[in-house]
Amino acid sequence: MTNWNQTQALDFLRELFAVAVAAVDPHHCLPPHLPDFPVSGRCIVVGAGKAAASMAQALEQHWSRQQQADFRRLSGMVIVPYGYALLCQHIQVSEAAHPIPDQAGYQAAQDLLASVQNLSASDTVICLLSGGGSSLMSLPAPGISLVEKQDINRALLRSGARIHEINCVRKHLSAIKGGRLALACTPARVLTYIISDVAGDDPSIIASGPTLADASTCADALEILQRYAIPASPAVLTHLQQPASETPKSHQIDSTHSQVHIIANAQAALQAAADWAQSQGVQVQVLSDRLEGEARDLGQAHAQLATELATELATELAIAAGDGQTPRLLLSGGETTVTMRGNGRGGRNTEYLLSLCQNLNGHPNIYALAADTDGRDGSEQNAGAWGTPDSLQQAAQLSILASDCLANNDAYTFFAALDALLVTGPTYNNVNDFRAVLVL
């Protein structure tokens, strides 16, 4: 397709996002990794995250097709954010708050930990993990209150700290994360299936690795709190200075009874999007599936890349003297951060997009979409937003300046005024950020 108009460009970007999310659907990705239903012992399913209910549902549906499946031996529970529950027949689905934990998550985590007590070597634990699981399994270590964990979570999320730093602190203040769930399951076999929302796909970071040995230390957690000037109560500081508070290390978890499988990640979603775009006659460059850093800085960098690409295309077109040129697409994933300086609304994807639009300054041939694959950008109800060559001009006509919104971390207000928010509802999945920049 050549000489696209704005409607065609935006339809293409929205369909591109839908293709990416569909490619990592648990109903498609989980069954190939699952074993047959255990021939003996109990099977306890536990888990947490934005994809946990869809993973549990996919597991039940897969096993229901096996004649030897004895569902009388199946039980368990998973924890999901409010609004992310799905119907399961044998596995309880509990809802709790995300990203700041609440009392419901505290109680659910207690129940989850209790469900794996007193197991035998003939039992099997299936652990289903995805992004968001760390906040949802909020069971503070002894001597630390839920309020103290809430305060630290809130401060870390506003600080601009990266997810591996946030989860390092969470692990060391938890009674269930950082490998402690694995110890509780002993001597049962533990099979962990993960949908990764973490750049680099380190399974010990995703959902704070409740069934994996932890290489980080209490000293690391203390250093992170100090680096970001996170207030900590005397109880928290005392806890982090006690040798007994250290997370389980590799020599403490029997790897012969534990297997870990990453069943979906950002790279799979980006590759599916790239393949579909190429089938539509678009030339694709996947920048990376693991980009991190400040969202606004990445938006600025991608604006420069897109502008340079547009200049190259214009030059090629002039030389060829043709009537059209193959569109180009820049794709990327990962997890950016936002350091809160204002009190506006929005998430990291809309902040990235607003910075991109501001730095493109109305370039006539560049369109973009940025969204979170879980269906919610930050704490808002939109997955993300899209930007067009006239986004800045439209906003200015409404007396809204991109610079003001960016300074106040208020990207949501900017795109809401333009009716440019991407609203999908929960996707029951999460492989984190999805960014697409289309150059015509």
Side-chain angles (χ1 to χ4, degrees), residues 47-48 77-82 92 94-115 132-150 153 173-177:
M77 66 176 298
V78 296
I79 313 170
V80 300
Y82 293 116
Q92 177 186 342
S94 297
E95 293 181 301
H98 175 276
I100 305 300
D102 66 356
Q103 184 66 34
Y106 172 79
Q107 184 61 54
Q110 279 189 317
D111 295 343
L112 189 151
L113 189 60
S115 73
S134 190
S135 297
L136 295 164
M137 284 188 296
S138 188
L139 185 59
I144 298 173
S145 70
L146 177 61
V147 172
E148 288 170 313
K149 286 206 70 174
Q150 289 171 328
N153 265 280
L173 299 179
S174 174
I176 194 170
K177 291 179 283 233

Side-chain angles (χ1 to χ4, degrees), residues 110-159:
Q110 279 189 317
D111 295 343
L112 189 151
L113 189 60
S115 73
V116 297
Q117 302 297 314
N118 303 314
L119 299 181
S120 71
S122 63
D123 295 329
T124 301
V125 176
I126 304 285
C127 188
L128 307 174
L129 299 176
S130 61
S134 190
S135 297
L136 295 164
M137 284 188 296
S138 188
L139 185 59
I144 298 173
S145 70
L146 177 61
V147 172
E148 288 170 313
K149 286 206 70 174
Q150 289 171 328
D151 290 343
I152 286 178
N153 265 280
R154 195 174 287 110
L156 281 168
L157 290 170
R158 293 180 63 88
S159 71

Side-chain angles (χ1 to χ4, degrees), residues 19 129 201 328 367 389:
V19 167
L129 299 176
D201 301 331
R328 308 293 173 88
Y367 297 79

Side-chain angles (χ1 to χ4, degrees), residues 239-369:
H239 174 81
L240 291 176
Q241 292 166 354
Q242 301 295 323
S245 302
E246 195 53 80
T247 48
K249 307 308 176 191
S250 57
H251 67 278
Q252 297 171 276
I253 296 178
D254 187 355
S255 60
T256 62
H257 281 72
S258 178
Q259 296 177 22
V260 180
H261 305 270
I262 293 181
I263 65 166
N265 56 13
Q267 180 59 38
L270 292 174
Q271 188 59 56
D275 292 344
W276 182 80
Q278 288 169 345
S279 75
Q280 304 300 306
V282 176
Q283 185 174 325
V284 183
Q285 181 180 356
V286 179
L287 299 176
S288 175
D289 66 333
R290 55 188 67 185
L291 295 181
E292 298 180 295
E294 281 287 329
R296 63 180 63 197
D297 294 341
L298 190 64
Q300 181 179 9
H302 284 185
Q304 182 176 346
L305 278 176
T307 301
E308 292 171 354
L309 189 55
T311 301
E312 292 176 12
L313 277 173
T315 302
E316 292 174 12
L317 183 59
I319 293 173
D323 61 353
Q325 192 59 251
T326 302
R328 308 293 173 88
L329 179 68
L330 302 175
L331 290 175
S332 65
E335 182 173 18
T336 60
T337 53
V338 173
T339 301
M340 293 297 293
R341 301 175 177 87
N343 58 2
R345 302 170 63 190
R348 58 182 180 267
N349 286 287
T350 46
E351 178 140 330
Y352 158 88
L353 189 64
L354 182 56
S355 174
L356 179 87
C357 289
Q358 183 183 41
N359 285 280
L360 287 174
N361 196 27
H363 194 290
N365 298 318
I366 301 176
Y367 297 79
L369 180 147

